[in-house]
PDB file of all heavy atoms in Angstrom:
ATOM      1  N   ASP A 282      34.611   3.722 -11.393  1.00 95.00           N
ATOM      2  CA  ASP A 282      33.832   3.102 -12.439  1.00 95.00           C
ATOM      3  C   ASP A 282      33.041   4.123 -13.274  1.00 95.00           C
ATOM      4  O   ASP A 282      32.621   3.838 -14.385  1.00 95.00           O
ATOM      5  CB  ASP A 282      32.863   2.055 -11.877  1.00 95.00           C
ATOM      6  CG  ASP A 282      33.601   0.834 -11.355  1.00 95.00           C
ATOM      7  OD1 ASP A 282      34.703   0.545 -11.768  1.00 95.00           O
ATOM      8  OD2 ASP A 282      33.019   0.236 -10.416  1.00 95.00           O
ATOM      9  N   VAL A 283      32.873   5.375 -12.698  1.00 93.00           N
ATOM     10  CA  VAL A 283      32.098   6.376 -13.392  1.00 93.00           C
ATOM     11  C   VAL A 283      32.931   7.601 -13.751  1.00 93.00           C
ATOM     12  O   VAL A 283      32.399   8.490 -14.448  1.00 93.00           O
ATOM     13  CB  VAL A 283      30.814   6.793 -12.566  1.00 93.00           C
ATOM     14  CG1 VAL A 283      29.874   5.657 -12.481  1.00 93.00           C
ATOM     15  CG2 VAL A 283      31.220   7.322 -11.227  1.00 93.00           C
ATOM     16  N   GLU A 284      34.166   7.590 -13.345  1.00 94.00           N
ATOM     17  CA  GLU A 284      35.080   8.729 -13.675  1.00 94.00           C
ATOM     18  C   GLU A 284      35.650   8.605 -15.110  1.00 94.00           C
ATOM     19  O   GLU A 284      35.373   7.600 -15.746  1.00 94.00           O
ATOM     20  CB  GLU A 284      36.203   8.806 -12.647  1.00 94.00           C
ATOM     21  CG  GLU A 284      35.981   9.875 -11.665  1.00 94.00           C
ATOM     22  CD  GLU A 284      36.042  11.320 -12.185  1.00 94.00           C
ATOM     23  OE1 GLU A 284      36.333  11.442 -13.344  1.00 94.00           O
ATOM     24  OE2 GLU A 284      35.838  12.212 -11.396  1.00 94.00           O
ATOM     25  N   THR A 285      36.408   9.622 -15.509  1.00 95.00           N
ATOM     26  CA  THR A 285      37.074   9.557 -16.797  1.00 95.00           C
ATOM     27  C   THR A 285      38.090   8.391 -16.743  1.00 95.00           C
ATOM     28  O   THR A 285      38.560   7.983 -15.675  1.00 95.00           O
ATOM     29  CB  THR A 285      37.818  10.872 -17.062  1.00 95.00           C
ATOM     30  OG1 THR A 285      38.817  11.059 -16.049  1.00 95.00           O
ATOM     31  CG2 THR A 285      36.885  12.040 -17.047  1.00 95.00           C
ATOM     32  N   PRO A 286      38.472   7.858 -17.863  1.00 97.00           N
ATOM     33  CA  PRO A 286      39.331   6.713 -17.881  1.00 97.00           C
ATOM     34  C   PRO A 286      40.659   6.936 -17.142  1.00 97.00           C
ATOM     35  O   PRO A 286      41.112   6.094 -16.357  1.00 97.00           O
ATOM     36  CB  PRO A 286      39.637   6.498 -19.412  1.00 97.00           C
ATOM     37  CG  PRO A 286      38.332   6.913 -20.028  1.00 97.00           C
ATOM     38  CD  PRO A 286      37.928   8.125 -19.226  1.00 97.00           C
ATOM     39  N   GLU A 287      41.301   8.116 -17.354  1.00 98.00           N
ATOM     40  CA  GLU A 287      42.544   8.350 -16.657  1.00 98.00           C
ATOM     41  C   GLU A 287      42.360   8.482 -15.172  1.00 98.00           C
ATOM     42  O   GLU A 287      43.109   7.851 -14.383  1.00 98.00           O
ATOM     43  CB  GLU A 287      43.166   9.679 -17.147  1.00 98.00           C
ATOM     44  CG  GLU A 287      44.535  10.039 -16.458  1.00 98.00           C
ATOM     45  CD  GLU A 287      45.000  11.385 -16.776  1.00 98.00           C
ATOM     46  OE1 GLU A 287      44.231  12.314 -16.992  1.00 98.00           O
ATOM     47  OE2 GLU A 287      46.255  11.555 -16.858  1.00 98.00           O
ATOM     48  N   MET A 288      41.325   9.188 -14.734  1.00 98.00           N
ATOM     49  CA  MET A 288      41.082   9.381 -13.271  1.00 98.00           C
ATOM     50  C   MET A 288      40.709   7.982 -12.678  1.00 98.00           C
ATOM     51  O   MET A 288      41.144   7.596 -11.598  1.00 98.00           O
ATOM     52  CB  MET A 288      40.047  10.363 -13.070  1.00 98.00           C
ATOM     53  CG  MET A 288      39.753  10.657 -11.516  1.00 98.00           C
ATOM     54  SD  MET A 288      41.126  11.363 -10.618  1.00 98.00           S
ATOM     55  CE  MET A 288      41.054  13.096 -11.188  1.00 98.00           C
ATOM     56  N   GLY A 289      39.878   7.267 -13.394  1.00 98.00           N
ATOM     57  CA  GLY A 289      39.384   5.943 -12.928  1.00 98.00           C
ATOM     58  C   GLY A 289      40.552   4.998 -12.678  1.00 98.00           C
ATOM     59  O   GLY A 289      40.635   4.306 -11.661  1.00 98.00           O
ATOM     60  N   ARG A 290      41.445   4.979 -13.686  1.00 98.00           N
ATOM     61  CA  ARG A 290      42.627   4.065 -13.571  1.00 98.00           C
ATOM     62  C   ARG A 290      43.517   4.482 -12.371  1.00 98.00           C
ATOM     63  O   ARG A 290      44.000   3.609 -11.617  1.00 98.00           O
ATOM     64  CB  ARG A 290      43.436   4.094 -14.838  1.00 98.00           C
ATOM     65  CG  ARG A 290      42.820   3.323 -16.005  1.00 98.00           C
ATOM     66  CD  ARG A 290      43.843   3.195 -17.139  1.00 98.00           C
ATOM     67  NE  ARG A 290      44.245   4.422 -17.672  1.00 98.00           N
ATOM     68  CZ  ARG A 290      43.645   5.074 -18.695  1.00 98.00           C
ATOM     69  NH1 ARG A 290      42.531   4.541 -19.242  1.00 98.00           N
ATOM     70  NH2 ARG A 290      44.114   6.226 -19.135  1.00 98.00           N
ATOM     71  N   ALA A 291      43.647   5.806 -12.156  1.00 98.00           N
ATOM     72  CA  ALA A 291      44.491   6.252 -11.058  1.00 98.00           C
ATOM     73  C   ALA A 291      43.890   5.931  -9.729  1.00 98.00           C
ATOM     74  O   ALA A 291      44.559   5.557  -8.768  1.00 98.00           O
ATOM     75  CB  ALA A 291      44.728   7.767 -11.200  1.00 98.00           C
ATOM     76  N   MET A 292      42.573   6.082  -9.660  1.00 98.00           N
ATOM     77  CA  MET A 292      41.858   5.770  -8.392  1.00 98.00           C
ATOM     78  C   MET A 292      42.056   4.314  -8.044  1.00 98.00           C
ATOM     79  O   MET A 292      42.377   3.952  -6.847  1.00 98.00           O
ATOM     80  CB  MET A 292      40.386   6.063  -8.494  1.00 98.00           C
ATOM     81  CG  MET A 292      40.075   7.539  -8.442  1.00 98.00           C
ATOM     82  SD  MET A 292      38.310   7.869  -8.661  1.00 98.00           S
ATOM     83  CE  MET A 292      38.204   9.621  -8.301  1.00 98.00           C
ATOM     84  N   LYS A 293      41.865   3.401  -9.034  1.00 98.00           N
ATOM     85  CA  LYS A 293      42.000   1.976  -8.741  1.00 98.00           C
ATOM     86  C   LYS A 293      43.459   1.636  -8.346  1.00 98.00           C
ATOM     87  O   LYS A 293      43.688   0.801  -7.463  1.00 98.00           O
ATOM     88  CB  LYS A 293      41.587   1.182  -9.998  1.00 98.00           C
ATOM     89  CG  LYS A 293      40.061   1.228 -10.211  1.00 98.00           C
ATOM     90  CD  LYS A 293      39.670   0.454 -11.441  1.00 98.00           C
ATOM     91  CE  LYS A 293      38.148   0.476 -11.663  1.00 98.00           C
ATOM     92  NZ  LYS A 293      37.715  -0.312 -12.832  1.00 98.00           N
ATOM     93  N   ALA A 294      44.388   2.219  -9.049  1.00 98.00           N
ATOM     94  CA  ALA A 294      45.829   1.974  -8.715  1.00 98.00           C
ATOM     95  C   ALA A 294      46.179   2.404  -7.311  1.00 98.00           C
ATOM     96  O   ALA A 294      46.914   1.771  -6.578  1.00 98.00           O
ATOM     97  CB  ALA A 294      46.702   2.687  -9.773  1.00 98.00           C
ATOM     98  N   LEU A 295      45.583   3.576  -6.933  1.00 98.00           N
ATOM     99  CA  LEU A 295      45.870   4.149  -5.582  1.00 98.00           C
ATOM    100  C   LEU A 295      45.229   3.317  -4.514  1.00 98.00           C
ATOM    101  O   LEU A 295      45.819   3.122  -3.446  1.00 98.00           O
ATOM    102  CB  LEU A 295      45.437   5.593  -5.531  1.00 98.00           C
ATOM    103  CG  LEU A 295      46.046   6.453  -4.456  1.00 98.00           C
ATOM    104  CD1 LEU A 295      47.567   6.503  -4.543  1.00 98.00           C
ATOM    105  CD2 LEU A 295      45.472   7.921  -4.587  1.00 98.00           C
ATOM    106  N   VAL A 296      44.039   2.789  -4.703  1.00 98.00           N
ATOM    107  CA  VAL A 296      43.360   1.991  -3.731  1.00 98.00           C
ATOM    108  C   VAL A 296      44.237   0.673  -3.567  1.00 98.00           C
ATOM    109  O   VAL A 296      44.425   0.210  -2.413  1.00 98.00           O
ATOM    110  CB  VAL A 296      41.921   1.580  -4.115  1.00 98.00           C
ATOM    111  CG1 VAL A 296      41.383   0.496  -3.324  1.00 98.00           C
ATOM    112  CG2 VAL A 296      41.045   2.818  -4.071  1.00 98.00           C
TER     113      VAL A 296
END
Side-chain angles (χ1 to χ4, degrees):
D282 293 332
V283 294
E284 258 293 355
T285 62
E287 180 189 32
M288 182 65 78
R290 286 192 298 270
M292 286 179 172
K293 290 180 179 179
L295 200 54
V296 168

